[in-house]
Amino acid sequence: MTSRTGLQAPPPPVLDRCRELVEPALRAAVRTLHPWPRRMASFSLGWCDADGLPDAGSGNRGGKGVRQALAVLGAEAVGAPGEAAVAGAVAVELVHTFSLVHDDIMDGDERRRHRDSAWKAFGTGPAVLAGDALFALAVETLARAGGESGAEAVRHLSGALRELVHGQADDLLFENRPWTGPQAVDIPAYRAMALRKTGSLLGCAMAVGPVLAGASPLLSGALAEAGRQLGAAFQAVDDLLGIWGDPRSTGKPVHNDLHRKKKTLPVLAALASDTAAGRRLALLLDSDAPLDAADAFCAAGLVEEAGGRAFTLAEARRHVAAAHDCLDSVPLVPRAVEELQSLSEFLIDRRL
Amino acid sequence: MTSRTGLQAPPPPVLDRCRELVEPALRAAVRTLHPWPRRMASFSLGWCDADGLPDAGSGNRGGKGVRQALAVLGAEAVGAPGEAAVAGAVAVELVHTFSLVHDDIMDGDERRRHRDSAWKAFGTGPAVLAGDALFALAVETLARAGGESGAEAVRHLSGALRELVHGQADDLLFENRPWTGPQAVDIPAYRAMALRKTGSLLGCAMAVGPVLAGASPLLSGALAEAGRQLGAAFQAVDDLLGIWGDPRSTGKPVHNDLHRKKKTLPVLAALASDTAAGRRLALLLDSDAPLDAADAFCAAGLVEEAGGRAFTLAEARRHVAAAHDCLDSVPLVPRAVEELQSLSEFLIDRRL
């Protein structure tokens, strides 16, 4: 998605700063894995190709490292050094990667970041193992952080994992629900799913640094809620990119989520709009087959005409504002809060 | 496998006693899951059929609850009440169930305990999710046990998970290795795999009670090593059952592991025996196709003739003896040690 001015802001320098702080520990953790899951994990983190060789396109392969940056900034926001968050930052990046690997299996997604997804590259069974290895490594990393704060961080992470599984279960079940009628997925149900599926880990990312640094529950609770709101905003932007994202940026086909008839917020909002465009969209989606290119193009136009695109963008902005309100509600280090706010604005305008 | 007298000893009462102590907490934990993974988890634990209804054959469906019993007896062996181990017992049963669900996906096993395996009953993607839910619930259960001993228990569990993944990775890679020659899987490599894949969680099961009860590292370490040795013994017995097990007990076809050309200890020992039967076995296994019923029958005879069956039974007994030596090496409560020893004897003679 391009920003509304047509220009894209450069990534804020905080992403590079946090990557430099966290990545050595992340790589050290992954190096301790058995060689086979290690290669699959390194591939999934964007560090190598499927043969374990350095990947020429690796600049596009890894994520932006948003979760590790949120963890470091969370610690700095409560006055702790960013170093205090490193074990937590490593853990949330590992859990994020685990969830991508397993979700791509569940969703049947063949592409991720401009190349094959892990199950497509290595096979389903090995990808299940790679995800399990990443999951176990995340828990081990935090558990070894030690002390009462380390134990509290493990409790936060395990709570996030419960929510993540719950959200993923809801999202998978949405696929079997009708597009219209009393059994259709409504906006509040979708919101609850997004807060769980995407919000839980971002909430954990922003709270884990403060928790490891021994901050008060008031502060870590406010940061956790800010992270959850940011996660819901990211999910909304992700839904926009799933329809209108530029394949050169997303690494996925144009109108991808429409071809797959995925129940995302722009579509659900359009269907709930009580407009002529929304009703035509329902007729188009109600057929049994996947949408072909012409139908998907038409559906994208109807979603936009019915207000689904504008609704979703407003939803994203509303969640970002809620996140900023959380940050303003407690006494935090202003410089870190500014960096968190500029990072969240960047992520809404130009995405991941 | 029948015992050598042809009679089967009844299960020791300790299994029922420990189940009564642990199962209410296990069921309470599973009830907190999202309804969909909860149903898949309950199915995998043998509590219901795939539709969530009580299962008429449920007596055959669940495991014997060996891991929960080891956890309870571990606590009692260091003089703590069995209740101290309950969170740990729940966690290891959940991790065990997680590993069965995911391993069946990786191994392509369609049957488990006389019915469809989870991926066969629910689909691969949902079974991945069910395993993840069980894994997360295990970590959460222990993390919520709280205190320094709870944190130490999480470290034990995460260490066991690392070993379990490592062992499963080795086992999967064994499938691609040749039967003979310098690249063949040798007995020491197989032993190391079994200690990791099966020993790690049994070691954790026996140590987690003492750890939660605050026992000294000397005691919990001895119990952990006893559990690892028991695990290696169980793996050896499992390998025997994979060839000679009665389908009425195992719930799997006769000669199942031979049909699938799985590299198990009896076969590897036969191939390493430098006997005429071992060489004929190598020729039979070297063909590209799976073995048909007649070939598998012939292969089972050759494994036995080459000494693979006797070697594996001796290996199991050697590991059980090593486990008992561990228990004798430290001061433990004699009654609990006797129960541990009678349980391990029962499990070697008449299996899981």
Side-chain angles (χ1 to χ4, degrees), chain B residues 11-22:
Chain B
V14 68
L15 285 173
D16 280 340
R17 176 170 73 82
C18 295
R19 181 183 305 280
E20 279 167 31
L21 187 60
V22 175

Side-chain angles (χ1 to χ4, degrees), chain A residues 286-305:
Chain A
D286 256 338
S287 76
D288 285 338
L291 298 190
D292 65 19
D295 282 344
F297 184 84
C298 176
L302 292 169
V303 173
E304 185 147 12
E305 195 180 330

Side-chain angles (χ1 to χ4, degrees), chain A residues 1 190 230-245 250 257 265-266 312-313 315-317 320 344-352:
Chain A
M1 190 171 56
Y190 187 89
L230 271 189
F234 291 179
Q235 183 63 53
V237 176
D238 214 40
D239 287 356
L240 290 169
L241 289 166
I243 298 178
W244 293 284
T250 64
D257 283 353
L265 188 57
T312 304
L313 192 58
E315 177 91 355
R317 298 215 159 274
V320 170
S344 64
E345 290 295 340
F346 164 77
L347 292 168
I348 293 304
D349 265 351
R350 174 216 159 112
R351 245 288 274 180
L352 311 188

Side-chain angles (χ1 to χ4, degrees), chain A residues 14 17-18 68-78 223 336 339-340 343:
Chain A
V14 67
R17 176 169 74 82
C18 295
Q68 67 194 6
L70 292 178
V72 170
L73 288 172
E76 291 176 350
V78 299
L223 285 158
E339 287 193 298
L340 281 168
L343 180 58

